[in-house]
Amino acid sequence: MKVLKDISYGKEARQKLDLYLPDKENCPLIIYFHGGGIESGDKSDANYAAMAKQFNSAGYAFASVNYGLYTQGARFPDFIYDCAKAVGFVKSRAAEWGCGNLIIAGQSAGAWLALMLCVNSKYLKSEDVETSDISAWLIDSAQTTSHFNVLKYEKNVDSRLQRIDEFAPLYYVDENLRFNRMLVCFYSEDMPCRKEQNLLFIRTVKEFFPQADLQWVQLQGGHCRGSCIADDDGGFAFVKTALSFLG
């Protein structure tokens, strides 16, 4: 395994990624967005590095991406464009790194960001990337209604409110939505309304895109446990589930 730290994909301080490369040519590459409510979190947090190594062991490259945070001056949709820029950068360098198919993944706020890239193609298109360029999407407990901290920072309203507007992946689900494959995970003891939000997203996608290759899994434990806390065997439940889905 080869690890390349703090690769700049743009000029801003948070526009950096860490790249974990397995000893394999033409490996699929997972582009991963961390959680933290768009307020905190970092690409190099210990659990993401451990997950990266487990994906590497299975033959997948892993790019762990930082993006702008509200606590550092970012506003909607700056962080979404950061993530799109990271995808465009990785796509442009993938062959150089010996990587093939691109997979987008995220945890919590990072999963919300991933979904926003998937359902609103303007973000990826701004970096000359099409949704069809992404071979799979791995979504770990995304908020599919308007993200609670986007409501807080952009509208100064109670973050417990459930809204479907331009801040919500659900807002963009219609007859035009297309993607290759998607795995949606949530948890038995997830955040309030999170399970229901994900089930509503899944049902709505199937209403407009009935042939979608969309699988969902309820994992055990609290919010994002499967990518925050390792199991007794040292593995992460989200990694195991994702690898089973990817085949």
Side-chain angles (χ1 to χ4, degrees):
M1 182 181 75
K2 182 178 182 181
V3 181
L4 303 175
K5 292 277 192 175
D6 293 323
I7 300 172
S8 295
Y9 65 84
K11 296 180 180 179
E12 301 299 325
R14 287 277 301 180
Q15 292 178 339
K16 295 183 184 298
L17 60 86
D18 293 343
L19 181 65
Y20 300 78
L21 295 171
D23 298 323
K24 175 184 175 182
E25 288 297 315
N26 198 34
C27 55
L29 197 163
I30 298 169
I31 305 168
Y32 189 87
F33 306 123
H34 65 76
I38 325 175
E39 291 181 313
S40 63
D42 189 87
K43 60 182 174 53
S44 300
D45 288 349
N47 58 311
Y48 305 129
M51 287 172 57
K53 293 174 183 177
Q54 290 176 22
F55 276 116
N56 274 188
S57 295
Y60 291 81
F62 191 91
S64 186
V65 179
N66 272 354
Y67 50 84
L69 303 175
Y70 275 120
T71 46
Q72 298 184 12
R75 304 293 295 189
F76 180 91
D78 297 343
F79 26 76
I80 307 177
Y81 279 110
D82 283 353
C83 292
K85 182 180 284 291
V87 174
F89 174 81
V90 169
K91 180 186 175 187
S92 71
R93 300 286 298 275
E96 173 187 333
W97 295 330
C99 298
N101 290 340
L102 300 182
I103 298 163
I104 290 181
Q107 172 207 55
S108 193
W112 173 84
L113 288 163
L115 279 185
M116 291 294 279
L117 294 182
C118 180
V119 298
N120 190 350
S121 61
K122 76 173 186 180
Y123 295 115
L124 288 179
K125 285 183 176 179
S126 71
E127 298 295 330
D128 296 320
V129 180
E130 298 292 335
T131 308
S132 58
D133 294 331
I134 309 304
S135 65
W137 303 77
L138 307 175
I139 306 301
D140 185 8
S141 193
Q143 183 157 3
T144 68
T145 56
S146 299
H147 192 278
F148 63 89
N149 268 336
V150 182
L151 289 176
K152 170 186 169 183
Y153 283 98
E154 303 294 339
K155 291 192 173 182
N156 193 30
V157 298
D158 191 325
S159 61
R160 294 171 298 178
L161 291 168
Q162 301 298 306
R163 295 289 184 266
I164 298 175
D165 56 19
E166 68 271 24
F167 307 140
L170 271 164
Y171 182 78
Y172 302 96
V173 176
D174 61 19
E175 68 277 4
N176 298 310
L177 178 63
R178 292 292 182 273
F179 54 80
N180 286 319
R181 304 180 69 200
M182 183 180 292
L183 171 69
V184 173
C185 298
F186 50 85
Y187 293 82
S188 59
E189 300 171 52
D190 216 316
M191 296 175 69
C193 303
R194 191 57 57 94
K195 174 180 178 178
E196 293 81 2
Q197 292 162 2
N198 278 265
L199 289 173
L200 179 58
F201 176 80
I202 292 160
R203 183 65 185 88
T204 306
V205 170
K206 284 292 191 178
E207 181 69 21
F208 287 101
F209 185 17
Q211 70 273 32
D213 186 350
L214 172 60
Q215 298 181 33
W216 64 269
V217 177
Q218 177 176 284
L219 299 174
Q220 295 302 304
H223 178 63
C224 288
R225 184 202 180 280
S227 53
C228 292
I229 302 172
D231 294 337
D232 291 342
D233 61 5
F236 287 86
F238 175 72
V239 176
K240 298 172 187 175
T241 304
L243 290 174
S244 177
F245 168 76
L246 294 169

